[in-house]
Amino acid sequence: AQGGLTPIRMDAKDFGPCKRNRFYWMNIPVNSTDHIKEVASMVSVDSLLDEGYGAVARLLQDEDELMSTAVKANAFLASLSRIDDKRMMKYELEDESSSKNTKYVLKLYSVSERERMMGFPTGYVAKPLCKLFSELTTNAFLLPETSEEGKTYRDFLDRDFWHYRKECQFKFKPNSVPPFFQLALSSPQEGKSQPSFYMEDQYCKHLVGNAWSIPVVEHLLGRFVELFDDDALETYTGYTDPHPWEPYLSM
């Protein structure tokens, strides 16, 4: 027990298409998960993948297993060396015209797939990160460096982004298209003397790897709504739609 509380162990695979086995310390009652687990434990990643892709595990299953076995994504991790390891693979059918010597192209789970599997709306992580990297690339570095008037980032960058100068470190990697470099930045949460540097797509995956499974958190905090009148409750923008799998679609 921690602080007199006995932890509750929950795995996101019982609530949706990806694994995330974690302990939670709660001082409020938590409802039974049986009614959700009975249905959601059989939800697979298949319908959450981008169009044209399949789960690698399906390639090894016979016809009976295809119908009866759920395929879950492994827990998404946050470190730079593990955000794209071999456990994060899907396949793309390259040549459907020949059943003999069929070729498959293996690719890594995209940011949008990871968002959906964790219960976030598509773009929840990617859209603000796109804005952040675009703002820093253009207004913190490109325009100040190319300005003929000797202007600095303060002349171009929105003040809301100034704190990144002190909280993050930056690196630049070559790119074949304008502006011919890609920005990589360290996480402001890292206290390491040699921090990891993430490009935009990598930073998105890093944040998803540090995130909570939304269906699990919803269940853990579900009793909170009993503390408020119905007219005091409001759904966050973007969360009016249920998670795109059962039993949430029927709730």
Side-chain angles (χ1 to χ4, degrees), residues 156-217:
F156 302 100
L157 189 65
D158 190 300
R159 291 186 66 95
D160 289 342
F161 296 91
W162 284 15
H163 64 283
Y164 281 93
R165 178 174 174 269
K166 295 182 178 180
E167 295 179 0
C168 296
Q169 299 180 46
F170 303 92
K171 283 188 176 181
F172 306 94
K173 299 187 178 183
N175 195 9
S176 59
V177 297
F180 303 111
F181 70 90
Q182 288 179 293
L183 180 67
L185 73 155
S186 66
S187 168
Q189 303 300 321
E190 289 194 46
K192 298 183 294 186
S193 58
Q194 295 183 329
S196 298
F197 289 85
Y198 302 86
M199 291 187 290
E200 181 180 331
D201 187 72
Q202 294 172 327
Y203 209 117
C204 291
K205 294 174 181 178
H206 170 70
L207 293 183
V208 174
N210 274 328
W212 303 98
S213 168
I214 298 303
V216 172
V217 173

Side-chain angles (χ1 to χ4, degrees), residues 31 37 56 62 82 89 98 111 116 120 143 165 169-170 172 178 180 189 191 202 207 216-217 235 242:
N31 292 328
K37 183 176 180 180
V56 171
D62 58 34
R82 302 189 71 184
M89 305 299 292
S98 174
V111 173
R116 291 192 293 270
F120 294 100
L143 292 181
R165 178 174 174 269
Q169 299 180 46
F170 303 92
F172 306 94
F180 303 111
Q189 303 300 321
Q202 294 172 327
L207 293 183
V216 172
V217 173
T235 302

Side-chain angles (χ1 to χ4, degrees), residues 9 13 15 36 41 46 48 58 75 106 109 111 117 129 148 182-183 195-196 219 229 238 247:
R9 186 173 185 172
K13 70 179 179 61
F15 294 80
I36 296 176
S41 61
D46 305 79
L48 281 300
R58 296 296 190 200
L106 298 182
Y109 288 142
V111 173
M117 292 181 200
L129 262 291
E148 295 181 358
Q182 288 179 293
L183 180 67
S196 298
H219 187 80
D229 295 331

Side-chain angles (χ1 to χ4, degrees), residues 30-205:
V30 177
N31 292 328
S32 170
T33 63
D34 291 346
H35 65 293
I36 296 176
K37 183 176 180 180
E38 183 178 355
V39 178
S41 61
M42 292 305 298
V43 172
S44 294
V45 301
D46 305 79
S47 63
L48 281 300
L49 297 177
D50 295 334
E51 186 176 355
Y53 293 96
V56 171
R58 296 296 190 200
L59 300 175
L60 307 176
Q61 295 177 340
D62 58 34
E63 190 170 339
D64 291 337
E65 289 177 312
L66 288 174
M67 299 297 294
S68 61
T69 305
V71 175
K72 305 286 185 177
N74 288 298
F76 300 124
L77 304 176
S79 66
L80 185 60
S81 62
R82 302 189 71 184
I83 54 175
D84 279 335
D85 65 21
K86 294 180 179 179
R87 306 172 314 109
M88 308 298 174
M89 305 299 292
K90 60 185 179 182
Y91 77 90
E92 180 182 14
L93 187 61
E94 185 179 80
D95 183 7
E96 296 181 347
S97 62
S98 174
S99 59
K100 185 178 181 180
N101 298 324
T102 301
K103 295 181 180 180
Y104 298 96
V105 177
L106 298 182
K107 294 189 176 181
L108 298 159
Y109 288 142
S110 68
V111 173
S112 61
E113 290 168 336
R114 299 177 196 219
E115 289 172 329
R116 291 192 293 270
M117 292 181 200
M118 289 283 282
F120 294 100
T122 301
Y124 185 86
V125 176
K127 288 179 180 179
L129 262 291
C130 178
K131 179 180 179 181
L132 170 64
F133 273 76
S134 177
E135 181 77 15
L136 293 176
T137 298
T138 302
N139 295 329
F141 296 103
L142 179 62
L143 292 181
E145 288 293 328
T146 57
S147 171
E148 295 181 358
E149 296 83 8
K151 293 182 178 180
T152 71
Y153 74 91
R154 295 174 183 268
D155 297 298
F156 302 100
L157 189 65
D158 190 300
R159 291 186 66 95
D160 289 342
F161 296 91
W162 284 15
H163 64 283
Y164 281 93
R165 178 174 174 269
K166 295 182 178 180
E167 295 179 0
C168 296
Q169 299 180 46
F170 303 92
K171 283 188 176 181
F172 306 94
K173 299 187 178 183
N175 195 9
S176 59
V177 297
F180 303 111
F181 70 90
Q182 288 179 293
L183 180 67
L185 73 155
S186 66
S187 168
Q189 303 300 321
E190 289 194 46
K192 298 183 294 186
S193 58
Q194 295 183 329
S196 298
F197 289 85
Y198 302 86
M199 291 187 290
E200 181 180 331
D201 187 72
Q202 294 172 327
Y203 209 117
C204 291
K205 294 174 181 178

Side-chain angles (χ1 to χ4, degrees), residues 10 26 28-31 36 214-228 233:
M10 287 191 175
M26 304 288 295
I28 60 174
V30 177
N31 292 328
I36 296 176
I214 298 303
V216 172
V217 173
E218 285 178 345
H219 187 80
L220 289 171
L221 303 181
R223 297 290 296 271
F224 269 129
V225 298
E226 299 174 10
L227 301 176
F228 304 93
L233 300 175

